Amino acid sequence: MIDLRSDTVTKPTERMRKAMYAAEVGDDVYGEDPAVNFLEETAADLLGKEKALFVTSGTQGNQIAVLTHTAPGSEVIMESDSHIYMYEGAAVSAFAGIQPRLVKGINGSMQAEDVKNAIRSDDIHHPETSLVCLENTHNRAGGAIVPLRDMKDIYKICSAASIPVHIDGARLFNAAAGSGTSVKDFASYCDTVQICLSKGLGAPVGSLIAGSEDFIRKARKWRKRLGGGLRQGGVLAAPGRIALTEMTERLHEDHEKASKLAEGLAEIPSLSIENQVDTNIVLVNIGQTGFSADQFLQLLKGQGILAVAFGPQTIRFTTHYDVTFEDIDKALTSISAIISSKVILH
């Protein structure tokens, strides 16, 4: 199968598998796992933060950040299609007891003036604004890169109001590869940041959150409360460090695959590209084909291609390390055949 559902489906490389086997380990809950400590130090340095913390997933990292920054009954400003709001099971409400305040962005990027207007005034009727969350790249916006200038403007407003900023940077290295801006520069306009190791970077498990030493001290307790304290976590941290040090420089290849896929799909009758392809995600509108998204996914699967629905008439394709340029050619040939033959589902 040519699996274009997500970059989460990547398999660990041979180097990662060997690193897992050879990892020097200890008890991370006691802070004694050398591989975990090395990974956290590496991440903190790359992101320009004092400390970092290894967590089991991007969702856990985001939730720990929200729990650490906020208090129950407060309000968190986030983009209306953000991953934290759309795809994390309402955890910010279930665990942190906060209320989301949604702001519609432009290609996933909230505008500073809109964020400023969404900050609550000191009024007995209002919740306090306790946090602003950004997402870069933005999944629902088709892997769009949130411009550094937008982040800078929002951070300036929030700093003046003493409101922390958290970046859901699950694909922040894709943003860096696609823009030429370093992850450290992106992370300079936030108080905390979460990065994922198991998407385009190819590690089997894990994410990291980074911030000040005081923040990470408090976050470590929230990780424990959520059941995220690992013992011999070095077997997972070792491939994670390879992801950070060896897999970031090749992400531009995934972006080139996505561009090639988008260009080919745009030439197929009845298909149109919905997003500006900044990174490794392509959103395709199939409304003119006469198929629903679910029907089209079945046809793709019959041709050995996996993708996901992103709406009633939208299909998302995501390129990654385990998909080759030859796979892109094969996928385009198969999709063209589906459209040209007007296959009827039985």
Side-chain angles (χ1 to χ4, degrees):
M1 302 295 286
I2 300 173
D3 198 339
L4 294 163
R5 290 175 297 176
S6 176
D7 43 13
T8 60
V9 304
T10 50
K11 305 295 192 301
T13 64
E14 187 65 24
R15 282 261 299 143
M16 290 179 184
R17 294 173 188 269
K18 290 179 179 177
M20 293 173 76
Y21 179 78
E24 183 181 358
V25 298
D27 192 319
D28 182 48
V29 174
Y30 289 117
E32 297 174 353
D33 190 298
V36 172
N37 293 340
F38 197 14
L39 172 64
E40 291 174 345
E41 291 165 6
T42 300
D45 183 62
L46 281 171
L47 295 164
K49 300 300 183 187
E50 291 178 356
K51 294 286 183 179
L53 182 69
F54 185 49
V55 295
T56 59
S57 69
T59 293
Q60 186 180 75
N62 287 334
Q63 297 311 313
I64 289 172
V66 173
L67 285 159
T68 305
H69 281 302
T70 69
S74 63
E75 190 168 73
V76 175
I77 296 172
M78 60 188 72
E79 207 279 326
S80 59
D81 274 339
S82 64
H83 192 280
I84 291 176
Y85 180 69
M86 295 289 291
Y87 298 119
E88 298 189 10
V92 290
S93 298
F95 297 151
I98 65 91
Q99 173 173 286
R101 181 74 181 271
L102 304 182
V103 172
K104 182 65 177 175
I106 300 172
N107 289 329
S109 180
M110 296 186 292
Q111 301 303 290
E113 192 65 23
D114 293 334
V115 171
K116 182 178 181 180
N117 292 336
I119 295 173
R120 295 289 191 165
S121 61
D122 186 12
D123 188 308
I124 195 172
H125 301 90
H126 296 169
E128 295 82 13
T129 301
S130 56
L131 180 66
V132 172
C133 291
L134 309 179
E135 181 181 334
N136 203 2
T137 63
H138 195 289
N139 178 33
R140 289 285 305 175
I145 299 171
V146 173
L148 190 68
R149 64 180 179 276
D150 290 356
M151 295 176 61
K152 180 179 180 180
D153 291 344
I154 290 171
Y155 187 61
K156 182 178 180 180
I157 288 169
C158 292
S159 295
S162 298
I163 298 169
V165 174
H166 172 68
I167 298 177
D168 174 2
R171 295 184 176 93
L172 190 61
F173 283 92
N174 289 94
S179 66
T181 301
S182 71
V183 290
K184 185 175 289 188
D185 285 342
F186 277 122
S188 69
Y189 296 115
C190 70
D191 297 276
T192 58
V193 56
Q194 178 268 128
I195 58 170
C196 188
L197 303 172
S198 62
K199 290 187 170 66
L201 301 186
V205 177
S207 289
L208 290 132
I209 48 176
S212 69
E213 184 172 0
D214 184 59
F215 170 84
I216 293 299
R217 178 181 59 80
K218 296 173 182 176
R220 190 175 295 275
K221 179 169 280 191
W222 274 115
R223 185 185 70 172
K224 180 64 175 173
R225 288 168 174 155
L226 294 177
L230 300 175
R231 299 300 178 175
Q232 287 69 45
V235 294
L236 300 177
R241 188 169 184 277
I242 290 175
L244 280 185
T245 58
E246 298 183 13
M247 299 295 282
T248 60
E249 297 300 321
R250 57 150 308 279
L251 289 174
H252 67 91
E253 297 176 13
D254 297 338
H255 300 177
E256 291 169 8
K257 295 170 196 171
S259 295
K260 181 176 182 177
L261 179 63
E263 290 168 5
L265 291 171
E267 295 177 358
I268 298 174
S270 304
L271 300 182
S272 59
I273 306 303
E274 292 187 351
N275 64 314
Q276 176 179 308
V277 182
D278 287 346
T279 54
N280 66 323
I281 295 175
V282 181
L283 302 181
V284 183
N285 188 287
I286 60 163
Q288 298 301 312
T289 67
F291 298 118
S292 69
D294 287 342
Q295 289 174 327
F296 200 75
L297 290 176
Q298 289 183 50
L299 293 171
L300 289 174
K301 189 173 183 179
Q303 295 293 317
I305 303 165
L306 298 177
V308 294
F310 239 41
Q313 297 180 329
T314 302
I315 302 295
R316 187 189 77 170
F317 298 95
T318 306
T319 57
H320 51 80
Y321 178 72
D322 289 341
V323 172
T324 66
F325 284 98
E326 290 74 17
D327 288 334
I328 298 299
D329 288 332
K330 292 176 183 177
L332 287 170
T333 298
S334 297
I335 294 169
S336 179
I338 290 172
I339 299 299
S340 62
S341 63
K342 294 183 173 56
V343 176
I344 300 175
L345 284 174
H346 296 289

